[in-house]
Amino acid sequence: MNEGVADGESRLVGSDRVLAVLAELARHPDGIGLDEMARRVASPKPTVHRALASLRRAGFASKDGHGRYILGDEFLRMAFAHHEARPDHVRAVPILQALCERYGETAHYAVLDGASVVYRSKLDPPAGAVRLTSVVGGRNPAHCTAVGKVLLADALRDEDAVRAWAGDRRLERRTERSLGTVEDLHAELVRIREQGYAVDDQENEPGVNCVAVLVHLTSPTTPSGAISVSGLTYRTPLWKLVEDLPAIRAIAAGGNPS
């Protein structure tokens, strides 16, 4: 740090570095060594070692039996406690349980964050679950997912809003079925508003389709997020989920399906 830089700015840089180390730790559940961590965060080893020492003192990092650094139990305790206490998460769980029981497929609760959806809750069926790219706290492109598209349809009410949301970036195409242009996305969002639900027809993962609707878990007027049922195409085809939308809507509203 150059002389003359204010102490406040110096502390900010230091805290940013500690946070970068913490974020990198989260990417290595099997642990990471000091040398590799220094390369990953592009910082000198002594600096990274000090950051890790600070995290260890707080219980946010620890060392395993092989001398590799891992996330500490105190960090995990805080993260899980915070997640479990969120009002929307608490209210979403019974909905996801009911969807899993009815369809024998994975159910999600997600919120919109910029260009992505963030999964707040996920529940797999007790048998027959498959490995999807979604994880609690993870992200997927909003325009490739049913939960993302139904949330975008509520947030972006005209083509100008869609263009402003997309900006200069190209829409990522996860599969050959993914929407790739602003014009296509706008047209899709118009359809979603008209029909009141969104589908993912193998747009995020091949062999997986989804149906999603908005949910109002914390406000009667403003959607808190969206829930979806994600089914394997050979086991739970999209037409079957769409045909059963009245039941999905009833469950999402906290009622009993007919």
Side-chain angles (χ1 to χ4, degrees), residues 68-216:
R68 296 168 66 82
Y69 292 91
I70 57 175
L71 282 177
D73 289 338
E74 177 62 13
F75 179 84
L76 296 174
R77 183 197 66 78
M78 289 174 57
F80 285 125
H82 176 76
H83 175 69
E84 293 295 329
R86 277 180 165 171
D88 56 346
H89 166 76
V90 172
R91 295 170 188 174
V93 169
I95 295 173
L96 302 188
Q97 289 174 334
L99 292 171
C100 274
E101 290 173 4
R102 184 178 181 91
Y103 301 103
E105 299 285 5
T106 299
H108 299 92
Y109 170 64
V111 298
L112 186 65
D113 184 18
S116 305
V117 287
V118 179
Y119 298 98
R120 290 276 180 85
S121 296
K122 175 184 178 181
L123 198 61
D124 289 317
V130 295
R131 191 176 186 86
L132 304 178
T133 60
S134 56
V135 296
V136 174
R139 295 170 177 264
N140 268 321
H143 66 283
C144 294
T145 63
V147 283
K149 288 191 292 182
V150 77
L151 290 166
L152 288 175
D154 182 69
L156 309 177
R157 308 299 293 190
D158 55 40
E159 188 168 352
D160 287 342
V162 177
R163 291 189 180 280
W165 172 83
D168 297 330
R169 60 189 173 83
R170 297 178 61 184
L171 298 183
E172 179 185 356
R173 301 196 67 193
R174 284 288 182 88
T175 75
E176 62 181 13
R177 294 174 179 259
S178 304
L179 299 172
T181 68
V182 167
E183 293 79 12
D184 287 344
L185 177 58
H186 169 60
E188 176 79 347
L189 299 186
V190 170
R191 283 192 294 272
I192 291 168
R193 283 191 291 272
E194 292 173 349
Q195 63 195 20
Y197 66 91
V199 301
D200 163 6
D201 187 6
Q202 303 185 68
E203 297 162 51
N204 192 56
E205 297 182 66
V208 178
N209 45 225
C210 309
V211 168
V213 296
L214 297 172
V215 286
H216 298 75

Side-chain angles (χ1 to χ4, degrees), residues 12-13 22 24 40 46 67 90 102 107 115 130 144 161 185 188 214 223 225 228 238 243:
L12 177 63
V13 172
L22 180 62
E24 190 62 37
R40 295 270 184 170
V90 172
R102 184 178 181 91
V130 295
C144 294
L185 177 58
E188 176 79 347
L214 297 172
S228 70
L238 187 57
E243 191 176 71

